[in-house]
Amino acid sequence: MSNLRIAVQKSGRLNEDSMRILKDIGISIDNGKDQLKASARNFPVEVFYLRNGDIPQYLRDGVVDAAIIGENVLIEKGSDLEFVERLGFSKCKVSIAVPKESKSNSLKDLNGKRIATSYPETVRKFLKEQNLDAQLHIINGSVEIAPNIGLADGICDIVSSGSTLFKNGLKEIEVLLKSEAVLAVSPQISDERKVILDKIQFRIQSVLKGRDSKYVLLNAPNDKLENILKLLPGMRSPTVLPLAEKGWSSVHTVVTKNKFWDIIEDLKANGAEGILVCPIEKMVL
């Protein structure tokens, strides 16, 4: 069976997150410093380390079969390409910002003005949808400096924590889109390699479900068990086991992170004791 060729960003946060999830799904990569291609020891995969902006063309040409790439880059340079999985990491926004002292407080205030950006196609499409027009200055890197040197009235760039905007005296006035890492696929992928990709996607889904969940164990008095079980979700239903102490049961279940604290408070209020919370490495449904 031929190897699946998967591209990841050459360096940076997305590279680190991509390599982490490959490790978490059991794929061991032997990659040295400045290596542009590496093979897995235990899975039919080759990893290509590429510049993020070049990956869409490599997918389009069939040089690689799949890629872990920022959705924002796919929208900007690969709108004709498809992705099969959202990966839940490397989240950011593509936003428009202006100097803090600017009188512009909305996108409409930049109508007819100058915007510096590394995402011209994304900005043009958004402006067209809003029936607005602006003069775009295309810059690769250090976009935030453009207003300070008089090149533009505002910028459009990716925003993660917002610290870069703050350091450069900018304020966010519009969010064009929210982005995260996705698993994109080449339109030229062979059926043989698609089988390998499906296996990788299944493993990724199991890891992501585990990351989003907690395993909860608690002790419940039997006379309050019915009310406690009503509070609990589960993959099918909570597991209930009798304790050695008469009148008590042990309850096991899975809770999603976004509901975790609310459920824990409700469980305590309904008589649950000895609540243990454990991380889940993987969850196969």
Side-chain angles (χ1 to χ4, degrees):
M1 179 178 287
S2 59
N3 289 341
L4 178 82
R5 302 160 301 178
I6 185 168
V8 301
Q9 184 173 293
K10 186 176 180 181
S11 60
R13 178 185 164 197
L14 183 54
N15 169 272
E16 294 170 3
D17 289 339
S18 301
M19 299 312 295
R20 185 179 300 114
I21 199 165
L22 290 177
K23 180 180 179 181
D24 287 347
I25 65 173
I27 297 178
S28 301
I29 308 293
D30 291 320
N31 60 313
K33 186 177 180 181
D34 299 325
Q35 196 169 355
L36 298 180
K37 187 175 76 168
S39 297
R41 296 196 303 268
N42 59 346
F43 201 80
V45 163
E46 287 180 311
V47 177
F48 288 64
Y49 301 93
L50 306 173
R51 288 179 63 249
N52 211 27
D54 293 339
I55 291 176
Q57 192 60 50
Y58 279 84
L59 285 167
R60 197 176 285 114
D61 293 342
V63 176
V64 294
D65 306 300
I68 298 175
I69 186 173
E71 185 181 4
N72 56 303
V73 177
L74 207 60
I75 290 171
E76 174 66 25
K77 295 190 174 184
S79 58
D80 56 318
L81 299 170
E82 296 182 354
F83 66 86
V84 294
E85 194 74 41
R86 293 185 179 276
L87 301 178
F89 56 77
S90 296
K91 294 184 177 182
C92 65
K93 300 177 289 185
V94 176
S95 300
I96 288 181
V98 297
K100 289 182 179 178
E101 66 275 9
S102 172
K103 294 180 180 180
S104 298
N105 292 306
S106 69
L107 184 63
K108 292 181 179 179
D109 295 330
L110 288 178
N111 191 34
K113 296 189 177 181
R114 302 165 300 166
I115 300 175
T117 185
S118 301
Y119 297 89
E121 296 304 319
T122 303
V123 178
R124 286 192 189 102
K125 181 180 178 182
F126 191 81
L127 290 174
K128 185 177 180 180
E129 291 171 352
Q130 302 297 318
N131 294 316
L132 298 173
D133 190 24
Q135 181 183 349
L136 300 188
H137 289 276
I138 302 172
I139 299 177
N140 293 316
S142 302
V143 176
E144 296 85 1
I145 199 174
N148 294 327
I149 60 176
L151 183 62
D153 302 293
I155 69 162
C156 181
D157 202 13
I158 58 171
V159 176
S160 296
S161 65
S163 61
T164 302
L165 294 183
F166 178 79
K167 290 176 183 177
N168 286 276
L170 301 171
K171 61 181 180 182
E172 182 183 78
I173 62 170
E174 186 79 30
V175 177
L176 275 63
L177 59 92
K178 294 182 178 180
S179 172
E180 63 185 277
V182 297
L183 181 63
V185 185
S186 168
Q188 299 192 45
I189 187 171
S190 67
D191 291 340
E192 185 180 28
R193 287 172 174 165
K194 181 66 167 57
V195 172
I196 303 172
L197 181 64
D198 289 343
K199 292 180 180 179
I200 287 177
Q201 188 180 358
F202 170 76
R203 293 188 183 191
I204 287 175
Q205 289 171 348
S206 299
V207 168
L208 295 180
K209 287 171 184 172
R211 288 181 181 178
D212 193 47
S213 304
K214 297 288 186 181
Y215 190 73
V216 178
L217 303 87
L218 59 90
N219 296 329
N222 288 344
D223 59 348
K224 297 182 179 180
L225 187 58
E226 184 177 352
N227 289 337
I228 288 174
L229 293 179
K230 288 178 181 178
L231 296 171
L232 293 173
M235 289 181 286
R236 187 175 297 275
S237 66
T239 300
V240 180
L241 300 170
L243 290 179
E245 183 177 347
K246 189 175 180 180
W248 285 81
S249 295
S250 175
V251 180
H252 301 214
T253 192
V254 173
V255 177
T256 58
K257 286 183 179 179
N258 62 339
K259 297 180 179 179
F260 172 73
W261 286 112
D262 291 337
I263 289 176
I264 293 298
E265 291 174 2
D266 290 339
L267 289 172
K268 288 184 65 179
N270 280 272
E273 297 180 4
I275 302 173
L276 300 179
V277 182
C278 306
I280 299 174
E281 184 175 318
K282 299 172 183 68
M283 191 161 70
V284 181
L285 300 179

